[in-house]
Amino acid sequence: MYVILVYDVHQKRVGRMLKLCRRYLNWIQNSVFEGAISELKLKELIFEARQIMDESYDSIIIFSSRNERWLDKQVIGLEKNEIDQFL
Amino acid sequence: MYVILVYDVHQKRVGRMLKLCRRYLNWIQNSVFEGAISELKLKELIFEARQIMDESYDSIIIFSSRNERWLDKQVIGLEKNEIDQFL
């Protein structure tokens, strides 16, 4: 499946969340990630994210699509992840 | 069409960008919006966003799908737009 993940977590927890998400997905902007991921891996990511989050304060939204073809992506302005693709 | 919009703009321009995006879409988290929008209205939104942005610094990413059914949404932690829906 193909997912877009956005998080909004307290600044204290941003570093750990960023590191976690980058292990599973591609960083594309600020607190936004995308990528192809299996259902199992996504469950793993959510499980690990829950260890980091304060669920009464932080929030993660995951949009998922069974097929990447169903989603178009358009970037206006600066494409921020150009370097990230090579890491 | 159905879109997810995420922006990353300089703090100086956040207020104006937020206000603009809320005129066209539903705010769901931090700098993330979603909603059904016509192609024409989306072009209008992009045109207006470009007036606000510094395109060498700011960035907007728009994911679009012809059909909302093709996208699942899952929220972990706090659902931040609960109030927004009534505004």
PDB file of all heavy atoms in Angstrom, chain A residues 4 8 29 53 57-65 70 72-74 76 78 80, chain B residues 4 8 29 53 57-60 62-65 70-72 74 76 78 80:
ATOM      1  N   ILE A   4       0.538   8.359   3.056  1.00  0.00           N
ATOM      2  CA  ILE A   4       1.008   9.711   3.386  1.00  0.00           C
ATOM      3  C   ILE A   4       0.813   9.830   4.885  1.00  0.00           C
ATOM      4  O   ILE A   4      -0.281   9.562   5.397  1.00  0.00           O
ATOM      5  CB  ILE A   4       0.159  10.780   2.678  1.00  0.00           C
ATOM      6  CG1 ILE A   4       0.235  10.602   1.161  1.00  0.00           C
ATOM      7  CG2 ILE A   4       0.607  12.184   3.072  1.00  0.00           C
ATOM      8  CD1 ILE A   4      -0.903  11.313   0.447  1.00  0.00           C
ATOM      9  N   ASP A   8       1.876  15.665  14.210  1.00  0.00           N
ATOM     10  CA  ASP A   8       1.903  16.921  14.943  1.00  0.00           C
ATOM     11  C   ASP A   8       2.156  16.528  16.390  1.00  0.00           C
ATOM     12  O   ASP A   8       1.238  16.140  17.101  1.00  0.00           O
ATOM     13  CB  ASP A   8       0.548  17.628  14.769  1.00  0.00           C
ATOM     14  CG  ASP A   8       0.527  19.000  15.434  1.00  0.00           C
ATOM     15  OD1 ASP A   8       1.587  19.440  15.930  1.00  0.00           O
ATOM     16  OD2 ASP A   8      -0.548  19.622  15.483  1.00  0.00           O
ATOM     17  N   GLN A  29       8.375  16.737   3.529  1.00  0.00           N
ATOM     18  CA  GLN A  29       8.226  18.146   3.933  1.00  0.00           C
ATOM     19  C   GLN A  29       7.970  18.177   5.423  1.00  0.00           C
ATOM     20  O   GLN A  29       7.145  17.401   5.914  1.00  0.00           O
ATOM     21  CB  GLN A  29       7.051  18.763   3.172  1.00  0.00           C
ATOM     22  CG  GLN A  29       6.891  20.259   3.368  1.00  0.00           C
ATOM     23  CD  GLN A  29       5.455  20.693   3.106  1.00  0.00           C
ATOM     24  OE1 GLN A  29       4.576  20.514   3.939  1.00  0.00           O
ATOM     25  NE2 GLN A  29       5.218  21.268   1.949  1.00  0.00           N
ATOM     26  N   MET A  53       4.543   8.798  21.358  1.00  0.00           N
ATOM     27  CA  MET A  53       3.509   9.833  21.486  1.00  0.00           C
ATOM     28  C   MET A  53       2.923   9.967  22.876  1.00  0.00           C
ATOM     29  O   MET A  53       2.858   8.998  23.633  1.00  0.00           O
ATOM     30  CB  MET A  53       2.310   9.483  20.582  1.00  0.00           C
ATOM     31  CG  MET A  53       2.591   9.516  19.135  1.00  0.00           C
ATOM     32  SD  MET A  53       1.185   8.802  18.210  1.00  0.00           S
ATOM     33  CE  MET A  53       0.027  10.176  18.242  1.00  0.00           C
ATOM     34  N   TYR A  57      -2.091  14.528  23.499  1.00  0.00           N
ATOM     35  CA  TYR A  57      -1.564  15.806  23.011  1.00  0.00           C
ATOM     36  C   TYR A  57      -1.151  15.715  21.533  1.00  0.00           C
ATOM     37  O   TYR A  57      -1.418  16.613  20.756  1.00  0.00           O
ATOM     38  CB  TYR A  57      -0.347  16.214  23.855  1.00  0.00           C
ATOM     39  CG  TYR A  57       0.228  17.559  23.509  1.00  0.00           C
ATOM     40  CD1 TYR A  57      -0.200  18.709  24.171  1.00  0.00           C
ATOM     41  CD2 TYR A  57       1.180  17.687  22.493  1.00  0.00           C
ATOM     42  CE1 TYR A  57       0.317  19.954  23.828  1.00  0.00           C
ATOM     43  CE2 TYR A  57       1.704  18.933  22.149  1.00  0.00           C
ATOM     44  CZ  TYR A  57       1.272  20.053  22.819  1.00  0.00           C
ATOM     45  OH  TYR A  57       1.784  21.280  22.482  1.00  0.00           O
ATOM     46  N   ASP A  58      -0.481  14.628  21.185  1.00  0.00           N
ATOM     47  CA  ASP A  58       0.069  14.475  19.839  1.00  0.00           C
ATOM     48  C   ASP A  58      -0.932  13.821  18.894  1.00  0.00           C
ATOM     49  O   ASP A  58      -1.891  13.186  19.340  1.00  0.00           O
ATOM     50  CB  ASP A  58       1.319  13.594  19.879  1.00  0.00           C
ATOM     51  CG  ASP A  58       2.390  14.144  20.795  1.00  0.00           C
ATOM     52  OD1 ASP A  58       2.437  15.375  20.966  1.00  0.00           O
ATOM     53  OD2 ASP A  58       3.175  13.341  21.335  1.00  0.00           O
ATOM     54  N   SER A  59      -0.633  13.950  17.637  1.00  0.00           N
ATOM     55  CA  SER A  59      -1.540  13.408  16.629  1.00  0.00           C
ATOM     56  C   SER A  59      -0.770  12.956  15.386  1.00  0.00           C
ATOM     57  O   SER A  59       0.194  13.585  14.968  1.00  0.00           O
ATOM     58  CB  SER A  59      -2.548  14.512  16.287  1.00  0.00           C
ATOM     59  OG  SER A  59      -3.086  14.366  15.027  1.00  0.00           O
ATOM     60  N   ILE A  60      -1.204  11.840  14.853  1.00  0.00           N
ATOM     61  CA  ILE A  60      -0.659  11.354  13.584  1.00  0.00           C
ATOM     62  C   ILE A  60      -1.848  11.044  12.681  1.00  0.00           C
ATOM     63  O   ILE A  60      -2.814  10.425  13.126  1.00  0.00           O
ATOM     64  CB  ILE A  60       0.176  10.068  13.776  1.00  0.00           C
ATOM     65  CG1 ILE A  60       1.480  10.371  14.502  1.00  0.00           C
ATOM     66  CG2 ILE A  60       0.483   9.408  12.417  1.00  0.00           C
ATOM     67  CD1 ILE A  60       2.356   9.137  14.709  1.00  0.00           C
ATOM     68  N   ILE A  61      -1.779  11.485  11.447  1.00  0.00           N
ATOM     69  CA  ILE A  61      -2.816  11.122  10.482  1.00  0.00           C
ATOM     70  C   ILE A  61      -2.148  10.348   9.350  1.00  0.00           C
ATOM     71  O   ILE A  61      -1.104  10.762   8.836  1.00  0.00           O
ATOM     72  CB  ILE A  61      -3.545  12.352   9.917  1.00  0.00           C
ATOM     73  CG1 ILE A  61      -4.187  13.153  11.054  1.00  0.00           C
ATOM     74  CG2 ILE A  61      -4.637  11.929   8.927  1.00  0.00           C
ATOM     75  CD1 ILE A  61      -4.807  14.467  10.612  1.00  0.00           C
ATOM     76  N   ILE A  62      -2.734   9.219   9.032  1.00  0.00           N
ATOM     77  CA  ILE A  62      -2.203   8.381   7.954  1.00  0.00           C
ATOM     78  C   ILE A  62      -3.280   8.209   6.880  1.00  0.00           C
ATOM     79  O   ILE A  62      -4.367   7.719   7.160  1.00  0.00           O
ATOM     80  CB  ILE A  62      -1.771   7.007   8.491  1.00  0.00           C
ATOM     81  CG1 ILE A  62      -0.642   7.174   9.517  1.00  0.00           C
ATOM     82  CG2 ILE A  62      -1.299   6.101   7.332  1.00  0.00           C
ATOM     83  CD1 ILE A  62      -0.362   5.919  10.320  1.00  0.00           C
ATOM     84  N   PHE A  63      -2.957   8.667   5.683  1.00  0.00           N
ATOM     85  CA  PHE A  63      -3.824   8.429   4.534  1.00  0.00           C
ATOM     86  C   PHE A  63      -3.226   7.246   3.791  1.00  0.00           C
ATOM     87  O   PHE A  63      -2.012   7.212   3.565  1.00  0.00           O
ATOM     88  CB  PHE A  63      -3.823   9.633   3.590  1.00  0.00           C
ATOM     89  CG  PHE A  63      -4.414  10.867   4.187  1.00  0.00           C
ATOM     90  CD1 PHE A  63      -3.606  11.819   4.794  1.00  0.00           C
ATOM     91  CD2 PHE A  63      -5.781  11.080   4.153  1.00  0.00           C
ATOM     92  CE1 PHE A  63      -4.143  12.969   5.348  1.00  0.00           C
ATOM     93  CE2 PHE A  63      -6.330  12.235   4.702  1.00  0.00           C
ATOM     94  CZ  PHE A  63      -5.509  13.172   5.309  1.00  0.00           C
ATOM     95  N   SER A  64      -4.047   6.303   3.428  1.00  0.00           N
ATOM     96  CA  SER A  64      -3.487   5.185   2.684  1.00  0.00           C
ATOM     97  C   SER A  64      -4.343   4.852   1.479  1.00  0.00           C
ATOM     98  O   SER A  64      -5.557   5.041   1.476  1.00  0.00           O
ATOM     99  CB  SER A  64      -3.317   3.972   3.593  1.00  0.00           C
ATOM    100  OG  SER A  64      -4.538   3.657   4.207  1.00  0.00           O
ATOM    101  N   SER A  65      -3.648   4.376   0.482  1.00  0.00           N
ATOM    102  CA  SER A  65      -4.306   4.041  -0.771  1.00  0.00           C
ATOM    103  C   SER A  65      -3.722   2.698  -1.204  1.00  0.00           C
ATOM    104  O   SER A  65      -2.537   2.452  -1.018  1.00  0.00           O
ATOM    105  CB  SER A  65      -3.999   5.128  -1.794  1.00  0.00           C
ATOM    106  OG  SER A  65      -4.619   4.822  -3.013  1.00  0.00           O
ATOM    107  N   TRP A  70      -3.465   6.014  -7.882  1.00  0.00           N
ATOM    108  CA  TRP A  70      -4.695   6.742  -7.591  1.00  0.00           C
ATOM    109  C   TRP A  70      -4.424   8.129  -6.997  1.00  0.00           C
ATOM    110  O   TRP A  70      -5.337   8.900  -6.755  1.00  0.00           O
ATOM    111  CB  TRP A  70      -5.583   5.937  -6.635  1.00  0.00           C
ATOM    112  CG  TRP A  70      -6.091   4.680  -7.257  1.00  0.00           C
ATOM    113  CD1 TRP A  70      -6.186   4.399  -8.589  1.00  0.00           C
ATOM    114  CD2 TRP A  70      -6.597   3.524  -6.570  1.00  0.00           C
ATOM    115  NE1 TRP A  70      -6.716   3.151  -8.770  1.00  0.00           N
ATOM    116  CE2 TRP A  70      -6.977   2.584  -7.555  1.00  0.00           C
ATOM    117  CE3 TRP A  70      -6.778   3.206  -5.208  1.00  0.00           C
ATOM    118  CZ2 TRP A  70      -7.514   1.340  -7.226  1.00  0.00           C
ATOM    119  CZ3 TRP A  70      -7.310   1.967  -4.896  1.00  0.00           C
ATOM    120  CH2 TRP A  70      -7.670   1.048  -5.895  1.00  0.00           C
ATOM    121  N   ASP A  72      -2.202  11.704  -7.278  1.00  0.00           N
ATOM    122  CA  ASP A  72      -1.275  12.589  -7.971  1.00  0.00           C
ATOM    123  C   ASP A  72      -0.611  13.490  -6.952  1.00  0.00           C
ATOM    124  O   ASP A  72      -1.245  13.874  -5.967  1.00  0.00           O
ATOM    125  CB  ASP A  72      -2.035  13.481  -8.964  1.00  0.00           C
ATOM    126  CG  ASP A  72      -2.324  12.735 -10.243  1.00  0.00           C
ATOM    127  OD1 ASP A  72      -1.489  11.895 -10.617  1.00  0.00           O
ATOM    128  OD2 ASP A  72      -3.383  12.978 -10.833  1.00  0.00           O
ATOM    129  N   LYS A  73       0.629  13.830  -7.211  1.00  0.00           N
ATOM    130  CA  LYS A  73       1.326  14.741  -6.305  1.00  0.00           C
ATOM    131  C   LYS A  73       1.834  15.938  -7.088  1.00  0.00           C
ATOM    132  O   LYS A  73       2.402  15.785  -8.162  1.00  0.00           O
ATOM    133  CB  LYS A  73       2.499  14.031  -5.636  1.00  0.00           C
ATOM    134  CG  LYS A  73       3.152  14.899  -4.555  1.00  0.00           C
ATOM    135  CD  LYS A  73       4.177  14.146  -3.761  1.00  0.00           C
ATOM    136  CE  LYS A  73       5.465  13.976  -4.520  1.00  0.00           C
ATOM    137  NZ  LYS A  73       6.578  13.521  -3.649  1.00  0.00           N
ATOM    138  N   GLN A  74       1.609  17.105  -6.514  1.00  0.00           N
ATOM    139  CA  GLN A  74       2.015  18.356  -7.158  1.00  0.00           C
ATOM    140  C   GLN A  74       2.750  19.178  -6.105  1.00  0.00           C
ATOM    141  O   GLN A  74       2.237  19.354  -4.996  1.00  0.00           O
ATOM    142  CB  GLN A  74       0.722  19.060  -7.592  1.00  0.00           C
ATOM    143  CG  GLN A  74       0.903  20.289  -8.403  1.00  0.00           C
ATOM    144  CD  GLN A  74      -0.450  20.920  -8.767  1.00  0.00           C
ATOM    145  OE1 GLN A  74      -1.511  20.411  -8.418  1.00  0.00           O
ATOM    146  NE2 GLN A  74      -0.407  22.050  -9.447  1.00  0.00           N
ATOM    147  N   ILE A  76       4.396  22.857  -5.176  1.00  0.00           N
ATOM    148  CA  ILE A  76       4.474  24.267  -5.540  1.00  0.00           C
ATOM    149  C   ILE A  76       5.543  24.900  -4.653  1.00  0.00           C
ATOM    150  O   ILE A  76       5.523  24.712  -3.429  1.00  0.00           O
ATOM    151  CB  ILE A  76       3.104  24.952  -5.342  1.00  0.00           C
ATOM    152  CG1 ILE A  76       2.095  24.313  -6.295  1.00  0.00           C
ATOM    153  CG2 ILE A  76       3.188  26.450  -5.586  1.00  0.00           C
ATOM    154  CD1 ILE A  76       0.740  24.209  -5.727  1.00  0.00           C
ATOM    155  N   LEU A  78       9.325  25.246  -3.258  1.00  0.00           N
ATOM    156  CA  LEU A  78      10.553  24.490  -3.037  1.00  0.00           C
ATOM    157  C   LEU A  78      10.285  23.008  -2.814  1.00  0.00           C
ATOM    158  O   LEU A  78       9.468  22.634  -1.975  1.00  0.00           O
ATOM    159  CB  LEU A  78      11.217  25.075  -1.797  1.00  0.00           C
ATOM    160  CG  LEU A  78      12.706  24.873  -1.640  1.00  0.00           C
ATOM    161  CD1 LEU A  78      13.465  25.448  -2.814  1.00  0.00           C
ATOM    162  CD2 LEU A  78      13.160  25.503  -0.341  1.00  0.00           C
ATOM    163  N   LYS A  80      11.494  20.132  -1.017  1.00  0.00           N
ATOM    164  CA  LYS A  80      12.412  20.090   0.120  1.00  0.00           C
ATOM    165  C   LYS A  80      13.130  18.767   0.335  1.00  0.00           C
ATOM    166  O   LYS A  80      14.055  18.691   1.110  1.00  0.00           O
ATOM    167  CB  LYS A  80      11.672  20.492   1.403  1.00  0.00           C
ATOM    168  CG  LYS A  80      11.054  21.873   1.281  1.00  0.00           C
ATOM    169  CD  LYS A  80      10.873  22.578   2.601  1.00  0.00           C
ATOM    170  CE  LYS A  80      10.422  24.008   2.322  1.00  0.00           C
ATOM    171  NZ  LYS A  80      10.310  24.821   3.518  1.00  0.00           N
TER     172      LYS A  80
ATOM    173  N   ILE B   4      -5.425  16.432  -0.499  1.00  0.00           N
ATOM    174  CA  ILE B   4      -4.741  16.647   0.779  1.00  0.00           C
ATOM    175  C   ILE B   4      -3.677  17.694   0.489  1.00  0.00           C
ATOM    176  O   ILE B   4      -2.897  17.530  -0.453  1.00  0.00           O
ATOM    177  CB  ILE B   4      -4.060  15.355   1.270  1.00  0.00           C
ATOM    178  CG1 ILE B   4      -5.089  14.240   1.453  1.00  0.00           C
ATOM    179  CG2 ILE B   4      -3.297  15.603   2.567  1.00  0.00           C
ATOM    180  CD1 ILE B   4      -4.449  12.868   1.513  1.00  0.00           C
ATOM    181  N   ASP B   8       4.445  24.289   4.026  1.00  0.00           N
ATOM    182  CA  ASP B   8       5.564  24.581   4.904  1.00  0.00           C
ATOM    183  C   ASP B   8       6.043  25.964   4.476  1.00  0.00           C
ATOM    184  O   ASP B   8       6.773  26.098   3.500  1.00  0.00           O
ATOM    185  CB  ASP B   8       6.652  23.516   4.702  1.00  0.00           C
ATOM    186  CG  ASP B   8       7.811  23.709   5.659  1.00  0.00           C
ATOM    187  OD1 ASP B   8       7.721  24.593   6.533  1.00  0.00           O
ATOM    188  OD2 ASP B   8       8.815  22.985   5.525  1.00  0.00           O
ATOM    189  N   GLN B  29      -4.983  19.268  10.614  1.00  0.00           N
ATOM    190  CA  GLN B  29      -3.872  19.176  11.564  1.00  0.00           C
ATOM    191  C   GLN B  29      -2.824  20.197  11.172  1.00  0.00           C
ATOM    192  O   GLN B  29      -2.496  20.287   9.983  1.00  0.00           O
ATOM    193  CB  GLN B  29      -3.273  17.756  11.511  1.00  0.00           C
ATOM    194  CG  GLN B  29      -2.217  17.480  12.557  1.00  0.00           C
ATOM    195  CD  GLN B  29      -1.292  16.342  12.125  1.00  0.00           C
ATOM    196  OE1 GLN B  29      -0.400  16.530  11.309  1.00  0.00           O
ATOM    197  NE2 GLN B  29      -1.528  15.167  12.662  1.00  0.00           N
ATOM    198  N   MET B  53       3.189  33.058  -1.156  1.00  0.00           N
ATOM    199  CA  MET B  53       4.444  32.334  -0.967  1.00  0.00           C
ATOM    200  C   MET B  53       5.686  33.067  -1.449  1.00  0.00           C
ATOM    201  O   MET B  53       5.622  33.854  -2.387  1.00  0.00           O
ATOM    202  CB  MET B  53       4.412  31.036  -1.785  1.00  0.00           C
ATOM    203  CG  MET B  53       3.430  30.032  -1.338  1.00  0.00           C
ATOM    204  SD  MET B  53       3.303  28.679  -2.553  1.00  0.00           S
ATOM    205  CE  MET B  53       4.789  27.740  -2.154  1.00  0.00           C
ATOM    206  N   TYR B  57      11.556  29.654  -0.891  1.00  0.00           N
ATOM    207  CA  TYR B  57      11.677  29.266   0.515  1.00  0.00           C
ATOM    208  C   TYR B  57      10.531  28.354   0.953  1.00  0.00           C
ATOM    209  O   TYR B  57      10.728  27.375   1.661  1.00  0.00           O
ATOM    210  CB  TYR B  57      11.686  30.532   1.386  1.00  0.00           C
ATOM    211  CG  TYR B  57      11.898  30.261   2.860  1.00  0.00           C
ATOM    212  CD1 TYR B  57      13.181  30.268   3.404  1.00  0.00           C
ATOM    213  CD2 TYR B  57      10.816  29.995   3.700  1.00  0.00           C
ATOM    214  CE1 TYR B  57      13.377  29.997   4.748  1.00  0.00           C
ATOM    215  CE2 TYR B  57      11.004  29.730   5.046  1.00  0.00           C
ATOM    216  CZ  TYR B  57      12.287  29.732   5.574  1.00  0.00           C
ATOM    217  OH  TYR B  57      12.470  29.463   6.904  1.00  0.00           O
ATOM    218  N   ASP B  58       9.309  28.710   0.551  1.00  0.00           N
ATOM    219  CA  ASP B  58       8.115  27.994   1.002  1.00  0.00           C
ATOM    220  C   ASP B  58       7.780  26.836   0.069  1.00  0.00           C
ATOM    221  O   ASP B  58       8.231  26.795  -1.070  1.00  0.00           O
ATOM    222  CB  ASP B  58       6.913  28.946   1.032  1.00  0.00           C
ATOM    223  CG  ASP B  58       7.137  30.138   1.925  1.00  0.00           C
ATOM    224  OD1 ASP B  58       7.900  30.016   2.905  1.00  0.00           O
ATOM    225  OD2 ASP B  58       6.546  31.206   1.639  1.00  0.00           O
ATOM    226  N   SER B  59       6.959  25.979   0.570  1.00  0.00           N
ATOM    227  CA  SER B  59       6.579  24.801  -0.203  1.00  0.00           C
ATOM    228  C   SER B  59       5.146  24.364   0.122  1.00  0.00           C
ATOM    229  O   SER B  59       4.697  24.435   1.267  1.00  0.00           O
ATOM    230  CB  SER B  59       7.587  23.698   0.145  1.00  0.00           C
ATOM    231  OG  SER B  59       7.071  22.426  -0.020  1.00  0.00           O
ATOM    232  N   ILE B  60       4.453  23.952  -0.911  1.00  0.00           N
ATOM    233  CA  ILE B  60       3.120  23.371  -0.744  1.00  0.00           C
ATOM    234  C   ILE B  60       3.115  22.060  -1.513  1.00  0.00           C
ATOM    235  O   ILE B  60       3.586  22.008  -2.648  1.00  0.00           O
ATOM    236  CB  ILE B  60       2.020  24.295  -1.313  1.00  0.00           C
ATOM    237  CG1 ILE B  60       1.859  25.544  -0.441  1.00  0.00           C
ATOM    238  CG2 ILE B  60       0.676  23.556  -1.397  1.00  0.00           C
ATOM    239  CD1 ILE B  60       0.762  26.488  -0.939  1.00  0.00           C
ATOM    240  N   ILE B  62       0.460  19.111  -2.820  1.00  0.00           N
ATOM    241  CA  ILE B  62      -0.950  18.753  -2.969  1.00  0.00           C
ATOM    242  C   ILE B  62      -1.048  17.340  -3.543  1.00  0.00           C
ATOM    243  O   ILE B  62      -0.534  17.061  -4.620  1.00  0.00           O
ATOM    244  CB  ILE B  62      -1.674  19.749  -3.905  1.00  0.00           C
ATOM    245  CG1 ILE B  62      -1.628  21.160  -3.307  1.00  0.00           C
ATOM    246  CG2 ILE B  62      -3.130  19.314  -4.126  1.00  0.00           C
ATOM    247  CD1 ILE B  62      -2.041  22.248  -4.272  1.00  0.00           C
ATOM    248  N   PHE B  63      -1.678  16.463  -2.776  1.00  0.00           N
ATOM    249  CA  PHE B  63      -1.982  15.122  -3.262  1.00  0.00           C
ATOM    250  C   PHE B  63      -3.425  15.149  -3.712  1.00  0.00           C
ATOM    251  O   PHE B  63      -4.285  15.662  -2.986  1.00  0.00           O
ATOM    252  CB  PHE B  63      -1.847  14.085  -2.142  1.00  0.00           C
ATOM    253  CG  PHE B  63      -0.456  13.933  -1.619  1.00  0.00           C
ATOM    254  CD1 PHE B  63      -0.043  14.639  -0.500  1.00  0.00           C
ATOM    255  CD2 PHE B  63       0.442  13.083  -2.244  1.00  0.00           C
ATOM    256  CE1 PHE B  63       1.243  14.507  -0.002  1.00  0.00           C
ATOM    257  CE2 PHE B  63       1.733  12.943  -1.748  1.00  0.00           C
ATOM    258  CZ  PHE B  63       2.131  13.651  -0.632  1.00  0.00           C
ATOM    259  N   SER B  64      -3.694  14.612  -4.873  1.00  0.00           N
ATOM    260  CA  SER B  64      -5.087  14.609  -5.292  1.00  0.00           C
ATOM    261  C   SER B  64      -5.485  13.248  -5.837  1.00  0.00           C
ATOM    262  O   SER B  64      -4.679  12.517  -6.402  1.00  0.00           O
ATOM    263  CB  SER B  64      -5.338  15.714  -6.309  1.00  0.00           C
ATOM    264  OG  SER B  64      -4.454  15.583  -7.381  1.00  0.00           O
ATOM    265  N   SER B  65      -6.737  12.952  -5.618  1.00  0.00           N
ATOM    266  CA  SER B  65      -7.283  11.680  -6.048  1.00  0.00           C
ATOM    267  C   SER B  65      -8.636  11.984  -6.688  1.00  0.00           C
ATOM    268  O   SER B  65      -9.363  12.849  -6.211  1.00  0.00           O
ATOM    269  CB  SER B  65      -7.450  10.789  -4.820  1.00  0.00           C
ATOM    270  OG  SER B  65      -7.984   9.548  -5.193  1.00  0.00           O
ATOM    271  N   TRP B  70     -10.801   6.080  -2.694  1.00  0.00           N
ATOM    272  CA  TRP B  70      -9.508   5.440  -2.891  1.00  0.00           C
ATOM    273  C   TRP B  70      -8.537   5.730  -1.747  1.00  0.00           C
ATOM    274  O   TRP B  70      -7.421   5.223  -1.726  1.00  0.00           O
ATOM    275  CB  TRP B  70      -8.889   5.884  -4.224  1.00  0.00           C
ATOM    276  CG  TRP B  70      -9.664   5.401  -5.400  1.00  0.00           C
ATOM    277  CD1 TRP B  70     -10.550   4.352  -5.429  1.00  0.00           C
ATOM    278  CD2 TRP B  70      -9.625   5.926  -6.729  1.00  0.00           C
ATOM    279  NE1 TRP B  70     -11.060   4.209  -6.686  1.00  0.00           N
ATOM    280  CE2 TRP B  70     -10.518   5.159  -7.513  1.00  0.00           C
ATOM    281  CE3 TRP B  70      -8.914   6.974  -7.336  1.00  0.00           C
ATOM    282  CZ2 TRP B  70     -10.713   5.399  -8.873  1.00  0.00           C
ATOM    283  CZ3 TRP B  70      -9.119   7.211  -8.680  1.00  0.00           C
ATOM    284  CH2 TRP B  70     -10.008   6.431  -9.444  1.00  0.00           C
ATOM    285  N   LEU B  71      -8.955   6.572  -0.834  1.00  0.00           N
ATOM    286  CA  LEU B  71      -8.072   6.964   0.270  1.00  0.00           C
ATOM    287  C   LEU B  71      -8.709   6.614   1.611  1.00  0.00           C
ATOM    288  O   LEU B  71      -9.847   6.988   1.871  1.00  0.00           O
ATOM    289  CB  LEU B  71      -7.862   8.476   0.252  1.00  0.00           C
ATOM    290  CG  LEU B  71      -6.678   9.048  -0.490  1.00  0.00           C
ATOM    291  CD1 LEU B  71      -6.633  10.542  -0.257  1.00  0.00           C
ATOM    292  CD2 LEU B  71      -5.370   8.414  -0.043  1.00  0.00           C
ATOM    293  N   ASP B  72      -7.963   5.921   2.438  1.00  0.00           N
ATOM    294  CA  ASP B  72      -8.412   5.694   3.811  1.00  0.00           C
ATOM    295  C   ASP B  72      -7.697   6.667   4.716  1.00  0.00           C
ATOM    296  O   ASP B  72      -6.538   6.997   4.470  1.00  0.00           O
ATOM    297  CB  ASP B  72      -8.058   4.273   4.254  1.00  0.00           C
ATOM    298  CG  ASP B  72      -9.067   3.281   3.732  1.00  0.00           C
ATOM    299  OD1 ASP B  72     -10.253   3.652   3.616  1.00  0.00           O
ATOM    300  OD2 ASP B  72      -8.665   2.152   3.418  1.00  0.00           O
ATOM    301  N   GLN B  74      -6.680   7.418   8.791  1.00  0.00           N
ATOM    302  CA  GLN B  74      -6.591   6.848  10.129  1.00  0.00           C
ATOM    303  C   GLN B  74      -5.935   7.900  11.027  1.00  0.00           C
ATOM    304  O   GLN B  74      -4.897   8.449  10.671  1.00  0.00           O
ATOM    305  CB  GLN B  74      -5.699   5.601  10.018  1.00  0.00           C
ATOM    306  CG  GLN B  74      -5.585   4.784  11.254  1.00  0.00           C
ATOM    307  CD  GLN B  74      -4.663   3.575  11.036  1.00  0.00           C
ATOM    308  OE1 GLN B  74      -4.091   3.379   9.953  1.00  0.00           O
ATOM    309  NE2 GLN B  74      -4.480   2.775  12.066  1.00  0.00           N
ATOM    310  N   ILE B  76      -4.282   8.701  14.730  1.00  0.00           N
ATOM    311  CA  ILE B  76      -3.736   8.127  15.961  1.00  0.00           C
ATOM    312  C   ILE B  76      -3.477   9.279  16.914  1.00  0.00           C
ATOM    313  O   ILE B  76      -2.871  10.277  16.531  1.00  0.00           O
ATOM    314  CB  ILE B  76      -2.437   7.348  15.653  1.00  0.00           C
ATOM    315  CG1 ILE B  76      -2.782   6.171  14.740  1.00  0.00           C
ATOM    316  CG2 ILE B  76      -1.776   6.824  16.927  1.00  0.00           C
ATOM    317  CD1 ILE B  76      -1.714   5.889  13.739  1.00  0.00           C
ATOM    318  N   LEU B  78      -4.675  12.430  19.144  1.00  0.00           N
ATOM    319  CA  LEU B  78      -5.693  13.465  19.227  1.00  0.00           C
ATOM    320  C   LEU B  78      -6.248  13.857  17.861  1.00  0.00           C
ATOM    321  O   LEU B  78      -5.505  14.144  16.932  1.00  0.00           O
ATOM    322  CB  LEU B  78      -5.032  14.699  19.853  1.00  0.00           C
ATOM    323  CG  LEU B  78      -5.919  15.712  20.539  1.00  0.00           C
ATOM    324  CD1 LEU B  78      -6.721  15.079  21.665  1.00  0.00           C
ATOM    325  CD2 LEU B  78      -5.073  16.853  21.076  1.00  0.00           C
ATOM    326  N   LYS B  80      -7.512  16.640  15.959  1.00  0.00           N
ATOM    327  CA  LYS B  80      -7.398  18.069  16.272  1.00  0.00           C
ATOM    328  C   LYS B  80      -8.431  18.962  15.602  1.00  0.00           C
ATOM    329  O   LYS B  80      -8.558  20.118  15.938  1.00  0.00           O
ATOM    330  CB  LYS B  80      -5.984  18.563  15.922  1.00  0.00           C
ATOM    331  CG  LYS B  80      -4.924  17.787  16.690  1.00  0.00           C
ATOM    332  CD  LYS B  80      -3.660  18.559  16.908  1.00  0.00           C
ATOM    333  CE  LYS B  80      -2.758  17.746  17.839  1.00  0.00           C
ATOM    334  NZ  LYS B  80      -1.520  18.413  18.176  1.00  0.00           N
TER     335      LYS B  80
END
